[in-house]
Amino acid sequence: MRNGPIPGAHGRVRPLTLLGDPVLQAPCKEVTDFGPELATLVEDLFATMYAAQGVGLAANQVGESLRVFVYDCPDDEDVRHLGHVVNPRLVETDGVVIRGPEGCLSLPGLEAGTERYDHAVVEGFTMTGEPITVHGTGFFARCLQHECDHLEGRVYADRVRGRRHRRLMRQVARASWRRPTWPTQGRGELRDQPPPAG
């Protein structure tokens, strides 16, 4: 029997920001107000993540440039990790570097082999301001690194190199959610306006 409310049960599903939206390309701002608006954002992030069938979601993926992410993600032993982190800092990454398939709700339907450490530690706060430390291994460590990247204005495509990067960018160019007129620039990102939400 579950104890406590289901995360996201009272949240609103928000439109996802897609690759090319400027909010995904800039570092997010620190949260300074731990009030009801933050609690609403966390609920909305959970609701949106579940609706999109993701395992993690950062605030800038729903257009909010704030340092917050949520997760509901298994590790390699199939242990479920559920929570959120406000003002996270990736304080430790170590262990083996593994290239594994990685996708993103802001690049829907695509994935590419991306190198990540298999152990990560994130420190931050809950939405009520309590300090927390989150340890991740395997797939969950990948999730933590992925979400921290988002809050620094990076997507996993920025970590893909060479032939794999070129192949991913060709897939982005053909993706149904991308406008054909978007130019590809810089770090392999698209810098024009995203398609209309919905």
Side-chain angles (χ1 to χ4, degrees), residues 4 29 44-45 71 94 109 119 128 150 185:
K29 298 176 292 217
D44 289 356
L45 286 171
Y71 57 87
D94 59 16
H119 177 249
T128 57
H150 270 305
Q185 298 178 355

Side-chain angles (χ1 to χ4, degrees), residues 119-164:
H119 177 249
V121 180
V122 172
E123 292 179 351
F125 300 89
T126 68
M127 61 185 166
T128 57
E130 297 296 318
I132 55 170
T133 301
V134 182
H135 296 262
T137 59
F139 185 63
F140 182 45
R142 179 176 296 275
C143 174
L144 293 174
Q145 292 166 83
H146 179 110
E147 301 308 331
C148 285
D149 269 0
H150 270 305
L151 302 183
E152 298 300 330
R154 293 190 296 263
V155 295
Y156 78 91
D158 298 326
R159 293 189 175 272
V160 178
R161 298 285 178 259
R163 186 182 312 145
R164 288 177 296 113

Side-chain angles (χ1 to χ4, degrees), residues 77-121:
E77 281 71 50
D78 211 29
V79 175
R80 180 186 186 193
H81 300 269
L82 171 66
H84 68 278
V85 188
V86 179
N87 295 337
R89 292 185 306 117
L90 186 62
V91 296
E92 187 178 330
T93 51
D94 59 16
V96 179
V97 174
I98 296 174
R99 180 188 297 166
E102 196 161 321
C104 180
L105 296 177
S106 292
L107 288 77
L110 304 180
E111 67 175 34
T114 307
E115 293 184 348
R116 300 282 189 186
Y117 287 97
D118 73 345
H119 177 249
V121 180

